[in-house]
Amino acid sequence: MALSYQTVDVFTDTPFGGNPLAVVFGAEGLSKVRMQAVAAEFNYSETTFVLPPQNPAHTAQVRIFTPRIEVPFAGHPNVGTATVLAWRGSIFGAPVGDRVVFEEVAGLVPVEILRDGGRAVGATLTAPQPFQRLGEADVTEVAACLGLRPAQIREDRHSPVTGTVGLPFLLVELADRAALAAARPVTAAIETSPSVAPVKDIHCYVRMGAEDAFDLRTRMFAPLDGVPEDPATGSANCALAGLLAEIDGPADGVLSLRIAQGVEMGRPSELLAEVDRQAGVTTAIRIGGRCVAIRRGEVAAGR
């Protein structure tokens, strides 16, 4: 069984930057086990499989796999998949316009296509679920999981907290750029930490000054999912934007954040997050960016 695929680098306008993604077509009838095997073969942080929608009012069903597990939602797979569909022009006999809706385990994910001179250059997704806090983690344990000292973790605005908009992440503010650069995932510590192991994935960030081109710089570690470090994590940054909007976002209006990730990996990424607020309540969280086509071909998948 031969499947067609397109790979893209997401959250960048430069080839070999951003976060690679494989978008796979023709997998109708392929088992979950074989989908997982295909994702492991690509060995990207995520691979998507574009399938016919269960509701014809929607664009497609999209299943997302890391090299080890299927996940209910993720950011860069939605941005990249939507952009690839826009380049194709149609899917399952229907045209692809400026807005697509994907059916995913976490819910419906609407995605707006970004165009430059009429050509699709990227996309912006709206998170499928409201931001939720799911609990806090012990600072000493978190520091051990990151190879840092507890003093390198800031707690003045929030303790290390699990947040989600469809996929949970431990959100951790670090003291400075030096701490961010020094952070390393310690797999054994993550596996054995009572407060970190249930979440597994750690998203660290630092706030930048007015002189910097970015508002935040981030790193995301998910070694237990087969992703030691991710160059750009839309779902984690959606959750982070939701948290920061609760802490010091406007009561009414839009919190906009320009986020850099992947710099320490040599795959710099740029993510643009927006949080809509009304009367002190978050009503929508979006994240978007550009994409670059890299290669396309076929993969023999069996059944």
Side-chain angles (χ1 to χ4, degrees):
M1 181 178 183
L3 310 176
S4 64
Y5 71 85
Q6 168 81 60
T7 72
V8 286
D9 289 341
V10 182
F11 293 124
T12 182
D13 57 6
T14 304
F16 315 123
N19 199 350
L21 174 74
V23 183
V24 180
F25 299 91
E28 293 88 330
L30 196 68
S31 70
K32 178 178 179 178
V33 171
R34 298 306 293 173
M35 289 184 190
Q36 186 65 74
V38 171
E41 180 71 15
F42 279 111
N43 202 34
Y44 291 162
S45 57
E46 277 108 1
T47 295
T48 63
F49 295 82
V50 181
L51 304 168
Q54 296 179 358
N55 183 338
H58 304 146
T59 308
Q61 179 187 11
V62 176
R63 296 182 67 174
I64 306 170
F65 290 79
T66 77
R68 293 185 184 175
I69 64 169
E70 184 174 9
V71 294
F73 165 73
H76 101 278
N78 279 288
V79 170
T81 300
T83 305
V84 170
L85 293 190
W87 290 336
R88 288 170 66 102
S90 65
I91 188 70
F92 306 123
V96 176
D98 289 335
R99 183 179 187 270
V100 298
V101 178
F102 294 148
E103 299 170 350
E104 298 179 10
V105 175
L108 296 179
V109 182
V111 189
E112 302 288 336
I113 305 300
L114 303 177
R115 297 186 183 272
D116 187 348
R119 184 180 186 276
V121 295
T124 298
L125 69 88
T126 299
Q129 297 177 11
F131 171 73
Q132 298 180 69
R133 298 191 192 208
L134 301 179
E136 297 184 350
D138 179 81
V139 171
T140 301
E141 293 179 21
V142 173
C145 292
L146 293 172
L148 300 175
R149 303 184 311 276
Q152 292 176 288
I153 296 175
R154 291 188 63 162
E155 295 186 87
D156 52 319
R157 291 204 302 175
H158 66 87
S159 298
V161 59
T162 298
T164 183
V165 293
L167 187 65
F169 295 89
L170 184 62
L171 307 174
V172 182
E173 183 174 6
L174 300 184
D176 49 36
R177 286 279 300 276
L180 188 70
R184 298 290 184 275
V186 181
T187 303
I190 296 172
E191 290 175 326
T192 57
S193 166
S195 63
V196 178
V199 188
K200 302 184 297 179
D201 301 347
I202 307 175
H203 192 55
C204 309
Y205 76 97
V206 293
R207 289 175 278 165
M208 305 307 299
E211 72 285 353
D212 198 274
F214 294 91
D215 300 297
L216 305 171
R217 291 185 180 262
T218 68
R219 298 179 72 184
M220 201 288 286
F221 305 110
L224 301 190
D225 292 340
V227 184
E229 182 170 357
D230 197 34
T233 317
S235 49
N237 283 300
C238 274
L240 177 58
L243 174 66
L244 298 182
E246 283 191 353
I247 292 172
D248 56 12
D252 293 283
V254 179
L255 172 66
S256 297
L257 296 168
R258 190 177 179 196
I259 303 169
Q261 190 178 333
V263 177
E264 292 77 9
M265 300 178 65
R267 295 195 67 100
S269 306
E270 180 177 342
L271 305 91
L272 304 176
E274 293 182 333
V275 183
D276 294 342
R277 302 272 290 169
Q278 292 182 4
V281 176
T282 294
T283 57
I285 302 174
R286 295 178 296 278
I287 201 152
R290 294 195 167 215
C291 300
V292 181
I294 300 297
R295 59 188 170 98
R296 59 186 176 183
E298 291 186 343
V299 56
R303 286 187 180 275

